[in-house]
Amino acid sequence: KQEVTQIPAALSVPEGENLVLNCSFTDSAIYNLQWFRQDPGKGLTSLLLIQSSQREQTSGRLNASLDKSSGRSTLYIAASQPGDSATYLCAVDFNTGNQFYFGTGTSLTVIP
Amino acid sequence: GAGVSQSPSNKVTEKGKDVELRCDPISGHTALYWYRQSLGQGLEFLIYFQGNSAPDKSGLPSDRFSAERTGGSVSTLTIQRTQQEDSAVYLCASSPSGGSEEQFFGPGTRLTVL
Protein backbone atom coordinates (compact mmCIF):
# COMPACT_ATOMS: atom_id res chain seq x y z
CA LYS A 1 0.00 0.00 0.00
CA GLN A 2 1.31 3.42 -0.90
CA GLU A 3 1.50 5.66 2.14
CA VAL A 4 3.04 8.95 3.13
CA THR A 5 3.93 9.61 6.76
CA GLN A 6 4.94 12.86 8.41
CA ILE A 7 6.55 13.06 11.81
CA PRO A 8 6.15 14.88 14.10
CA ALA A 9 2.48 15.79 13.89
CA ALA A 10 3.19 19.07 15.66
CA LEU A 11 6.30 21.11 16.32
CA SER A 12 6.88 24.30 18.28
CA VAL A 13 10.11 26.28 18.02
CA PRO A 14 11.34 29.74 19.07
CA GLU A 15 11.77 32.34 16.37
CA GLY A 16 15.11 32.22 14.62
CA GLU A 17 15.70 28.51 14.94
CA ASN A 18 16.49 26.30 11.98
CA LEU A 19 14.21 23.29 11.74
CA VAL A 20 13.62 20.12 9.73
CA LEU A 21 10.32 18.53 8.85
CA ASN A 22 10.29 14.87 7.86
CA CYS A 23 8.35 12.94 5.28
CA SER A 24 8.63 9.22 4.55
CA PHE A 25 6.97 7.18 1.85
CA THR A 26 6.57 3.49 1.21
CA ASP A 27 7.60 3.10 -2.44
CA SER A 28 10.82 4.40 -3.93
CA ALA A 29 9.39 4.44 -7.47
CA ILE A 30 8.01 7.95 -7.49
CA TYR A 31 7.47 10.62 -10.15
CA ASN A 32 7.94 13.53 -7.82
CA LEU A 33 7.32 14.93 -4.37
CA GLN A 34 5.77 18.26 -3.49
CA TRP A 35 5.77 20.25 -0.24
CA PHE A 36 2.84 22.52 0.59
CA ARG A 37 1.87 24.80 3.42
CA GLN A 38 -1.70 25.20 4.58
CA ASP A 39 -2.86 28.09 6.71
CA PRO A 40 -5.97 27.64 8.88
CA GLY A 41 -9.13 27.71 6.79
CA LYS A 42 -7.17 28.17 3.59
CA GLY A 43 -6.16 26.08 0.62
CA LEU A 44 -2.71 24.70 -0.06
CA THR A 45 0.22 26.82 -1.20
CA SER A 46 2.90 25.03 -3.17
CA LEU A 47 6.38 25.48 -1.72
CA LEU A 48 8.70 23.16 -3.61
CA LEU A 49 8.41 20.40 -6.18
CA ILE A 50 11.21 17.83 -6.48
CA GLN A 51 11.29 15.65 -9.57
CA SER A 52 12.38 12.03 -9.14
CA SER A 53 15.69 12.76 -10.86
CA GLN A 54 16.54 15.58 -8.43
CA ARG A 55 17.98 15.40 -4.95
CA GLU A 56 17.00 18.82 -3.67
CA GLN A 57 15.27 22.09 -4.41
CA THR A 58 15.73 25.47 -2.77
CA SER A 59 13.54 28.53 -2.49
CA GLY A 60 14.59 31.34 -0.22
CA ARG A 61 14.86 30.01 3.33
CA LEU A 62 13.43 26.64 2.31
CA ASN A 63 15.36 23.61 1.15
CA ALA A 64 13.76 20.28 0.35
CA SER A 65 15.75 17.10 -0.15
CA LEU A 66 14.77 13.77 -1.63
CA ASP A 67 16.29 10.36 -0.98
CA LYS A 68 14.28 7.85 -2.95
CA SER A 69 16.29 4.82 -1.87
CA SER A 70 15.40 5.38 1.76
CA GLY A 71 11.93 6.73 1.02
CA ARG A 72 12.53 10.04 2.74
CA SER A 73 12.26 13.74 2.14
CA THR A 74 13.06 16.60 4.45
CA LEU A 75 12.01 20.22 4.41
CA TYR A 76 14.57 22.50 6.01
CA ILE A 77 13.45 25.94 7.14
CA ALA A 78 16.22 28.36 8.03
CA ALA A 79 15.88 31.20 10.52
CA SER A 80 12.24 30.49 11.27
CA GLN A 81 9.76 33.35 11.60
CA PRO A 82 6.30 33.58 13.20
CA GLY A 83 4.87 33.88 9.69
CA ASP A 84 6.11 30.36 8.98
CA SER A 85 3.50 29.02 11.41
CA ALA A 86 1.24 26.73 9.38
CA THR A 87 0.65 23.08 8.60
CA TYR A 88 3.21 21.64 6.19
CA LEU A 89 2.09 18.82 3.92
CA CYS A 90 4.18 16.40 1.94
CA ALA A 91 2.65 14.87 -1.19
CA VAL A 92 4.04 12.06 -3.33
CA ASP A 93 3.14 10.91 -6.84
CA PHE A 94 3.80 7.16 -6.88
CA ASN A 95 4.29 6.87 -10.63
CA THR A 96 0.63 7.31 -11.41
CA GLY A 97 0.82 10.77 -12.91
CA ASN A 98 -2.77 11.20 -11.84
CA GLN A 99 -2.72 12.00 -8.16
CA PHE A 100 -0.67 12.86 -5.15
CA TYR A 101 -0.77 10.88 -1.92
CA PHE A 102 -0.65 13.25 1.04
CA GLY A 103 0.74 12.90 4.52
CA THR A 104 -1.32 14.18 7.43
CA GLY A 105 1.01 17.12 7.89
CA THR A 106 3.17 18.72 10.53
CA SER A 107 1.65 21.65 12.37
CA LEU A 108 4.43 24.19 12.96
CA THR A 109 4.26 26.99 15.49
CA VAL A 110 7.06 29.55 15.59
CA ILE A 111 7.01 31.44 18.86
CA PRO A 112 8.02 35.12 18.73
CA GLY B 1 -8.13 34.37 -13.25
CA ALA B 2 -4.93 34.44 -11.31
CA GLY B 3 -5.55 31.23 -9.43
CA VAL B 4 -7.91 28.35 -8.87
CA SER B 5 -11.26 29.48 -7.53
CA GLN B 6 -13.95 27.44 -5.83
CA SER B 7 -17.53 28.16 -4.87
CA PRO B 8 -19.21 28.26 -2.52
CA SER B 9 -16.60 28.75 0.17
CA ASN B 10 -18.96 27.27 2.73
CA LYS B 11 -21.99 25.04 2.32
CA VAL B 12 -24.30 23.78 5.04
CA THR B 13 -26.89 21.24 4.02
CA GLU B 14 -29.25 18.74 5.54
CA LYS B 15 -28.68 15.03 5.40
CA GLY B 16 -30.20 13.56 2.27
CA LYS B 17 -29.95 16.68 0.14
CA ASP B 18 -27.84 16.95 -3.01
CA VAL B 19 -25.01 19.49 -3.29
CA GLU B 20 -22.91 20.86 -6.12
CA LEU B 21 -19.43 22.25 -5.67
CA ARG B 22 -17.75 24.29 -8.39
CA CYS B 23 -14.12 24.66 -9.41
CA ASP B 24 -12.62 27.12 -11.88
CA PRO B 25 -9.06 26.06 -12.72
CA ILE B 26 -6.25 28.34 -13.81
CA SER B 27 -6.82 29.38 -17.40
CA GLY B 28 -5.04 27.07 -19.82
CA HIS B 29 -4.52 24.25 -17.32
CA THR B 30 -5.67 20.99 -18.82
CA ALA B 31 -5.46 18.84 -15.69
CA LEU B 32 -7.92 19.18 -12.81
CA TYR B 33 -8.07 17.26 -9.54
CA TRP B 34 -10.56 16.99 -6.71
CA TYR B 35 -9.48 16.07 -3.18
CA ARG B 36 -11.27 15.78 0.14
CA GLN B 37 -9.81 16.75 3.50
CA SER B 38 -11.68 15.40 6.48
CA LEU B 39 -11.07 16.66 10.01
CA GLY B 40 -7.82 15.29 11.36
CA GLN B 41 -7.06 13.34 8.19
CA GLY B 42 -4.86 13.85 5.20
CA LEU B 43 -6.04 14.84 1.77
CA GLU B 44 -7.84 12.08 -0.06
CA PHE B 45 -7.80 11.93 -3.87
CA LEU B 46 -11.25 11.80 -5.46
CA ILE B 47 -11.05 12.30 -9.23
CA TYR B 48 -8.70 13.52 -11.99
CA PHE B 49 -9.51 15.08 -15.37
CA GLN B 50 -6.97 15.45 -18.16
CA GLY B 51 -8.04 17.12 -21.37
CA ASN B 52 -10.56 15.06 -23.27
CA SER B 53 -9.45 11.74 -21.75
CA ALA B 54 -11.77 9.67 -19.61
CA PRO B 55 -11.45 10.83 -15.98
CA ASP B 56 -9.74 8.77 -13.33
CA LYS B 57 -12.58 8.17 -10.86
CA SER B 58 -10.72 5.67 -8.72
CA GLY B 59 -10.89 7.84 -5.59
CA LEU B 60 -14.62 8.47 -5.49
CA PRO B 61 -15.86 6.89 -2.23
CA SER B 62 -19.31 5.86 -3.44
CA ASP B 63 -21.73 6.15 -6.34
CA ARG B 64 -23.29 9.15 -4.62
CA PHE B 65 -20.28 11.13 -5.80
CA SER B 66 -19.86 12.28 -9.38
CA ALA B 67 -18.01 14.99 -11.21
CA GLU B 68 -17.96 16.51 -14.63
CA ARG B 69 -15.83 18.98 -16.46
CA THR B 70 -17.46 21.03 -19.17
CA GLY B 71 -15.50 22.38 -22.09
CA GLY B 72 -12.24 21.33 -20.51
CA SER B 73 -12.46 24.11 -17.97
CA VAL B 74 -14.97 24.44 -15.11
CA SER B 75 -15.67 21.34 -13.04
CA THR B 76 -18.59 20.46 -10.81
CA LEU B 77 -18.47 17.86 -8.04
CA THR B 78 -21.92 16.57 -7.13
CA ILE B 79 -22.78 14.66 -3.98
CA GLN B 80 -26.20 13.07 -3.92
CA ARG B 81 -28.15 12.16 -0.78
CA THR B 82 -25.49 13.67 1.45
CA GLN B 83 -24.49 11.90 4.66
CA GLN B 84 -22.86 13.34 7.78
CA GLU B 85 -19.61 11.57 6.94
CA ASP B 86 -19.43 13.65 3.75
CA SER B 87 -18.64 16.71 5.89
CA ALA B 88 -15.17 17.84 4.88
CA VAL B 89 -13.26 20.46 2.97
CA TYR B 90 -13.32 19.74 -0.75
CA LEU B 91 -10.25 21.02 -2.55
CA CYS B 92 -9.72 21.46 -6.25
CA ALA B 93 -6.33 21.71 -7.96
CA SER B 94 -5.12 22.24 -11.49
CA SER B 95 -1.84 21.78 -13.31
CA PRO B 96 -0.69 22.85 -16.77
CA SER B 97 -0.85 19.42 -18.39
CA GLY B 98 -1.03 16.84 -15.65
CA GLY B 99 1.51 14.05 -15.72
CA SER B 100 2.76 14.81 -12.26
CA GLU B 101 3.47 18.50 -12.64
CA GLU B 102 3.16 21.00 -9.84
CA GLN B 103 -0.42 21.32 -8.67
CA PHE B 104 -2.06 24.61 -7.74
CA PHE B 105 -4.86 24.48 -5.21
CA GLY B 106 -8.00 26.50 -4.70
CA PRO B 107 -9.17 27.69 -1.27
CA GLY B 108 -11.62 24.83 -0.89
CA THR B 109 -15.29 24.44 -0.08
CA ARG B 110 -16.16 23.56 3.50
CA LEU B 111 -19.17 21.24 3.43
CA THR B 112 -21.16 20.61 6.59
CA VAL B 113 -23.93 18.02 6.54
CA LEU B 114 -26.31 18.34 9.48
Side-chain angles (χ1 to χ4, degrees), chain A residues 5 20-25 30 33-35 50 55 63-68 70-76 90 92:
Chain A
T5 303
V20 174
L21 306 180
N22 296 296
C23 173
S24 61
F25 45 91
I30 68 171
L33 182 147
Q34 192 167 355
W35 282 94
I50 309 179
R55 292 192 61 83
N63 176 276
S65 69
L66 174 64
D67 183 345
K68 290 192 301 180
S70 65
R72 294 170 61 92
S73 174
T74 61
L75 179 67
Y76 174 83
C90 170
V92 178

Side-chain angles (χ1 to χ4, degrees), chain B residues 10-62:
Chain B
N10 282 284
K11 176 71 176 178
V12 180
T13 191
E14 295 179 346
K15 178 182 173 181
K17 295 286 180 67
D18 298 350
V19 295
E20 285 189 352
L21 312 180
R22 177 187 169 105
C23 172
D24 282 88
I26 293 173
S27 178
H29 282 195
T30 62
L32 186 147
Y33 310 77
W34 282 98
Y35 293 87
R36 177 169 71 173
Q37 187 174 32
S38 302
L39 188 63
Q41 300 186 20
L43 270 77
E44 172 190 15
F45 167 77
L46 297 177
I47 190 169
Y48 163 70
F49 294 91
Q50 170 55 288
N52 295 321
S53 302
D56 176 356
K57 304 179 181 180
S58 60
L60 294 179
S62 79

